[in-house]
Amino acid sequence: MSELESLEKRIRERFVKAFATYRLLCDDDRVLVGLSGGKDSLCLLEMLGRRARIHHPRFSVEAIHVRVENVDYLTSTAYLESFCADLGVPLHIVTTSFYEGGGDGRERPPCFLCSWNRRKQMFNLAQQLGCNKIALGHHHDDLLVTALMNLFFQSRFETMRPLMQMDKMPLQIIRPLCLVDEKDIARYAELRGYEKQEKLCPYENDSQRTAMQRLLADITSVSSETRHSLWSALKREGKLGTAN
């Protein structure tokens, strides 16, 4: 078995385990995938697109790519269209923008405003298309880092759940890569030849999340059990939601 085949097998097994553990998909689900063009969302779409062909459970997949006019990052539209076409997944490209500070006189960081506006476009399109689930490309490391961020900066111990019901709309957020390590996705993207984004987000290396990513890397280098211990603590405290 080649490195690519072995890696794909490991990712697929953890992907399927997440579905079974957190009951992420049901028959007749209509899933909208947030496709940024980064390695995580491309891997997510590939895994979901392939899984949809198996018909167990029976579900459909569409993708949305949101361009934010006043943030200088860029992904090749042609590449995303080709990637989706190969998987038989319809792609919707939406353009939006935001006012610095939020437009209501309150100062908010650009990362928050960009993320909020992109989510708003995803929620709107999902409801227009009749989708009941939105899939995001957050992986295992993202959930661990979020737990550290909440602990150090918000005085609470919790993270993003693999399955989350929205309060004000009939939508659920699912994170099918929640058991997949980032290093596996990064290597898989390299071996599969995923095209990199033409311009990265200018704010991505200037945030609390970046600091917590470094912290997780540092403590993992001291003890390889750190990741497992943190994840086990989240499970024990019921912070990952209902599991089978």
Side-chain angles (χ1 to χ4, degrees):
M1 184 180 293
S2 69
E3 181 186 1
L4 176 59
E5 291 170 331
S6 177
L7 193 53
E8 181 179 353
K9 181 176 182 292
R10 181 162 66 247
I11 292 174
R12 186 175 63 250
E13 286 175 347
R14 294 184 181 182
F15 176 81
V16 172
K17 182 179 179 180
F19 283 133
T21 302
Y22 300 106
R23 292 175 282 195
L24 301 185
L25 282 177
C26 302
D27 280 332
D28 301 320
D29 276 346
R30 300 189 64 182
V31 182
L32 182 65
V33 178
L35 185 63
S36 68
K39 67 183 189 317
D40 306 326
S41 65
L42 290 171
C43 181
L44 171 63
L45 186 64
E46 180 180 341
M47 294 295 157
L48 275 172
R50 291 183 179 183
R51 187 70 184 178
R53 296 173 180 173
I54 297 176
H55 304 300
H56 181 71
R58 182 179 61 253
F59 66 96
S60 62
V61 181
E62 300 193 39
I64 177 173
H65 176 67
V66 181
R67 292 189 179 279
V68 182
E69 289 182 327
N70 51 324
V71 176
D72 191 24
Y73 73 87
L74 184 64
T75 299
S76 167
T77 301
Y79 177 68
L80 295 183
E81 290 173 339
S82 174
F83 193 90
C84 290
D86 288 344
L87 293 167
V89 173
L91 173 64
H92 307 269
I93 298 177
V94 178
T95 301
T96 186
S97 62
F98 61 85
Y99 293 104
E100 295 288 345
D104 59 1
R106 299 190 335 183
E107 288 296 323
R108 296 189 179 92
C111 288
F112 170 85
L113 295 170
C114 180
S115 176
W116 188 89
N117 279 275
R118 290 168 61 199
R119 294 289 182 92
K120 180 180 178 181
Q121 296 300 324
M122 282 192 282
F123 295 153
N124 288 343
L125 182 62
Q127 293 179 94
Q128 291 171 20
L129 295 174
C131 295
N132 63 312
K133 291 183 177 176
I134 293 177
L136 302 178
H138 296 123
H139 45 64
H140 195 63
D141 295 61
D142 286 326
L143 271 66
L144 296 178
V145 167
T146 298
L148 293 175
M149 288 178 65
N150 285 329
L151 182 61
F152 282 96
F153 299 110
Q154 301 296 329
S155 301
R156 52 192 172 91
F157 184 58
E158 60 185 37
T159 189
M160 301 178 286
R161 292 175 179 258
L163 172 65
M164 184 182 74
Q165 176 67 53
M166 300 298 296
D167 292 331
K168 298 181 180 180
M169 57 189 75
L171 286 172
Q172 290 182 322
I173 304 295
I174 61 173
R175 297 179 169 92
L177 298 181
C178 63
L179 301 181
V180 182
D181 292 344
E182 182 180 20
K183 63 179 178 59
D184 284 346
I185 297 174
R187 182 58 176 158
Y188 183 73
E190 182 181 357
L191 293 173
R192 286 278 286 116
Y194 286 173
E195 185 174 305
K196 294 183 178 180
Q197 292 170 284
E198 296 178 1
K199 291 183 180 179
L200 298 177
C201 173
Y203 304 110
E204 68 176 17
N205 291 318
D206 183 22
S207 68
Q208 292 176 346
R209 178 167 292 275
T210 302
M212 292 299 100
Q213 288 170 339
R214 295 194 190 104
L215 176 61
L216 180 62
D218 288 343
I219 58 179
T220 299
S221 68
V222 174
S223 171
S224 60
E225 291 298 312
T226 300
R227 297 166 62 90
H228 175 73
S229 296
L230 183 53
W231 189 259
S232 294
L234 288 167
K235 287 197 294 184
R236 185 171 57 251
E237 296 298 319
K239 301 303 183 180
L240 297 171
T242 302
N244 287 337

